[in-house]
Amino acid sequence: IKGGSGQNLADLIIGSTVEGRSSLRFVRLPDQKRVYAALVDIDISTKFEDWIERDLLQVETRNIQQVTLRDYSINERTRTIDQRDVLTLDRSDDAWKTQGLSSNQEIDSAKMDELLEGIDDLPIVGVRPKPEGLSRTLARSDQTPVSQADALSLQTRGYYFTSDGSLVSNEGELEVRTSEGIVYTLRFGEVLYGSGQTVTAGGQGEEGDQESGPGENRYLFITAAFDAKLLDDEPPEPGNTAFLHKEQEEWTDSDRSNKEMQDEHDQWQEKLTRGGELAENLNNRFAAWYYVISSDSFEKVRLGRSDLIKEKEAMAL
């Protein structure tokens, strides 16, 4: 418990209630072995869902402009990819389009809405810390070699580096591009069985050594990047900024036109700066963790061509 200026007011480890005395809890100071029974009148939740950031991706469906679903498998021996299908869907005037459809095919708008909702509301049920060295490499997005221990950490959760250094996952991936310039890549990994604390924080079976069991979940590896090409085209800058050194009542028609151009460019520059900062903040947060999602969440966002493309309904005569 900290005060307003950040100083420690109390540092306690609070345990279970005392049997037969529901008003008392076991309490211990972190640097002492002695355990006390104390009257603790404080409501502290230790539930994972009460503390985790619920808006994981921080994306709104109206800002999603492109979704790409990559369906592939990995040859774990040669580290090569068998690309089965790539489906890219683009938003245009509030309608979704894709190339390669026949005359009697169309995008299933209801399924597309479900996919967008699944991306926007992507609840996680657990986390695992990535190795520190791997987290630093991912946060910097540099070419620092990944150690053998870090590679093993990835592999146990279903992630591999290909022969050319690309990171892939054994259940494919989903790429989401937004009008803010953010590119999210969601890579789906191994199954994790279990429930409760085993899933939220780790425990017996967390490394995927259970081949079956109740509570099927899935590892999720997320990265974020910024692509300025996703923003509107850069507006032209004014050729003359003399208006900056004049009172507004002294402006000519040319000055007013230049001021409008300057405002438009400043707004574009703000979007550029804001998008870059958002991508950096997101990637720094994602770099530290493997996430765990439920099988229900996985099925909502891990769709394919057969899920999103349907035959057109026959017109009634």
Side-chain angles (χ1 to χ4, degrees):
I1 300 176
K2 296 179 181 291
S5 60
Q7 77 278 19
N8 278 348
L9 302 179
D11 194 0
L12 304 170
I13 298 174
I14 303 175
S16 301
T17 56
V18 178
E19 185 176 356
R21 302 288 299 277
S22 59
S23 62
L24 300 181
R25 282 187 175 273
F26 293 113
V27 177
R28 182 171 68 84
L29 299 176
D31 56 350
Q32 296 183 15
K33 294 183 178 180
R34 179 173 295 179
V35 177
Y36 300 89
L39 179 64
V40 181
D41 185 18
I42 187 170
D43 183 18
I44 299 178
S45 171
T46 57
K47 294 181 179 179
F48 177 81
E49 59 268 23
D50 289 340
W51 294 95
I52 195 67
E53 169 61 68
R54 294 182 181 275
D55 190 4
L56 181 61
L57 299 183
Q58 297 182 14
V59 62
E60 296 186 21
T61 55
R62 68 172 182 270
N63 292 333
I64 297 176
Q65 298 298 312
Q66 185 185 83
V67 175
T68 300
L69 303 105
R70 295 189 173 92
D71 179 21
Y72 57 77
S73 61
I74 306 168
N75 185 318
E76 297 179 14
R77 182 179 61 84
T78 62
R79 297 290 191 270
T80 56
I81 300 177
D82 175 19
Q83 192 80 59
R84 291 188 289 258
D85 190 23
V86 177
L87 177 62
T88 298
L89 304 112
D90 294 283
R91 191 199 294 266
S92 176
D93 297 327
D94 289 329
W96 287 92
K97 301 178 180 179
T98 189
Q99 295 183 352
L101 297 185
S102 65
S103 59
N104 65 333
Q105 289 181 320
E106 64 182 358
I107 294 175
D108 189 329
S109 58
K111 283 289 187 180
M112 194 68 203
D113 288 343
E114 291 179 10
L115 172 60
L116 296 178
E117 182 181 349
I119 294 170
D120 180 31
D121 181 25
L122 185 65
I124 61 173
V125 297
V127 292
R128 299 289 187 279
K130 292 188 182 114
E132 185 177 351
L134 177 60
S135 296
R136 287 198 301 267
T137 298
L138 293 169
R140 290 195 304 266
S141 299
D142 60 14
Q143 300 300 315
T144 304
V146 175
S147 69
Q148 185 174 357
D150 291 348
L152 180 61
S153 170
L154 288 163
Q155 291 172 26
T156 58
R157 292 167 172 86
Y159 303 104
Y160 304 85
F161 283 103
T162 62
S163 55
D164 64 359
S166 300
L167 180 64
V168 293
S169 49
N170 61 6
E171 284 296 331
E173 59 191 62
L174 170 66
E175 185 180 89
V176 179
R177 293 174 175 262
T178 75
S179 57
E180 297 173 297
I182 309 300
V183 182
Y184 300 89
T185 303
L186 285 66
R187 298 178 174 90
F188 305 105
E190 281 288 350
V191 171
L192 172 65
Y193 293 102
S195 60
Q197 189 173 351
T198 299
V199 173
T200 59
Q204 182 66 30
E206 72 166 280
E207 299 303 332
D209 58 354
Q210 297 185 52
E211 296 182 358
S212 62
E216 183 177 311
N217 307 281
R218 181 77 60 171
Y219 280 113
L220 175 64
F221 190 115
I222 310 175
T223 56
F226 178 67
D227 185 357
K229 295 178 182 178
L230 297 175
L231 301 179
D232 295 333
D233 292 338
E234 180 178 2
E237 295 185 74
N240 188 317
T241 57
F243 65 90
L244 294 174
H245 309 289
K246 297 180 183 180
E247 296 295 332
Q248 188 169 349
E249 55 269 19
E250 298 176 352
W251 286 355
T252 64
D253 289 344
S254 178
D255 289 331
R256 280 185 281 273
S257 177
N258 284 324
K259 176 64 166 61
E260 291 178 1
M261 294 177 66
Q262 183 68 59
D263 289 344
E264 289 183 11
H265 193 273
D266 288 346
Q267 291 171 8
W268 180 87
Q269 187 64 52
E270 288 177 8
K271 290 182 180 179
L272 188 71
T273 302
R274 187 166 59 247
E277 291 175 348
L278 175 58
E280 182 178 5
N281 292 337
L282 286 170
N283 207 40
N284 285 338
R285 178 155 61 93
F286 298 152
W289 303 100
Y290 298 107
Y291 295 98
V292 182
I293 60 175
S294 68
S295 58
D296 288 342
S297 295
F298 173 69
E299 291 171 2
K300 286 181 180 179
V301 296
R302 184 67 177 96
L303 302 181
R305 185 177 298 271
S306 61
D307 300 304
L308 294 167
I309 306 300
K310 68 176 184 177
E311 299 292 322
K312 290 182 179 179
E313 296 180 3
M315 297 290 291
L317 298 178

